[in-house]
Amino acid sequence: MSELDENEEFRKKAIFESMSKKRQNHIIKKGYKKWDPFELPKDPIDIRKDKTKRTTQTLVREFLQNNCSDQYSNEYGRGVLDICLGIINNNERYIGMYDFAVWYNKLLDNEGHEL
């Protein structure tokens, strides 16, 4: 073993011995040799962004600030968030809802109606 490997093994053993018996048994069960206490933490889940590089939270906040009065219901806000998440995640159900809403809005405009 090289100097670094011996040092790492010493540190690994020290970490293992400082743990509770329950945790030690868990590591032994999975395999002490496979256990790596020096493993780097996993990266956080990517924060999803749309084509404009905005997060879902940013889009919802911008929409509600620019297109709604100060008072809107929780249901309305939940609907905005749901469709925003669905569209950003490219969920076909929400893409269908969006396509229908755009089509219906054009239909109402063409026939002189308002929503």
Side-chain angles (χ1 to χ4, degrees):
M1 281 188 172
S2 68
E3 185 67 35
L4 183 61
D5 289 337
E6 287 176 17
N7 185 27
E8 281 184 0
E9 186 58 39
F10 177 77
R11 289 175 41 215
K12 180 177 179 177
K13 187 175 182 180
I15 292 169
F16 180 78
E17 289 175 353
S18 68
M19 294 178 163
S20 69
K21 277 287 186 205
K22 186 175 182 179
R23 188 69 183 146
Q24 286 179 358
N25 289 336
H26 177 74
I27 290 170
I28 290 170
K29 191 181 206 180
K30 292 204 173 212
Y32 178 82
K33 289 193 178 213
K34 289 193 275 183
W35 175 58
D36 183 9
F38 313 113
E39 185 177 357
L40 295 174
K42 294 183 171 95
D43 290 332
I45 296 173
D46 292 336
I47 297 174
R48 297 191 187 271
K49 294 186 177 183
D50 72 335
K51 295 173 185 175
T52 65
K53 306 292 185 218
R54 290 178 176 88
T55 64
T56 303
Q57 182 181 9
T58 304
L59 287 167
V60 169
R61 186 176 57 244
E62 283 182 27
F63 175 81
L64 292 174
Q65 286 174 348
N66 295 331
N67 297 310
C68 299
S69 65
D70 290 337
Q71 294 186 359
Y72 54 87
S73 70
N74 287 338
E75 284 295 309
Y76 185 88
R78 247 184 259 131
V80 171
L81 177 61
D82 284 349
I83 197 160
C84 183
L85 284 168
I87 290 172
I88 287 179
N89 292 329
N90 206 27
N91 183 311
E92 286 191 28
R93 177 173 185 244
Y94 293 97
I95 300 296
M97 289 174 161
Y98 170 77
D99 290 343
F100 177 81
V102 169
W103 173 83
Y104 189 64
N105 191 42
K106 286 180 186 175
L107 178 71
L108 291 177
D109 281 346
N110 290 341
E111 294 184 5
H113 302 287
E114 289 186 29
L115 185 59

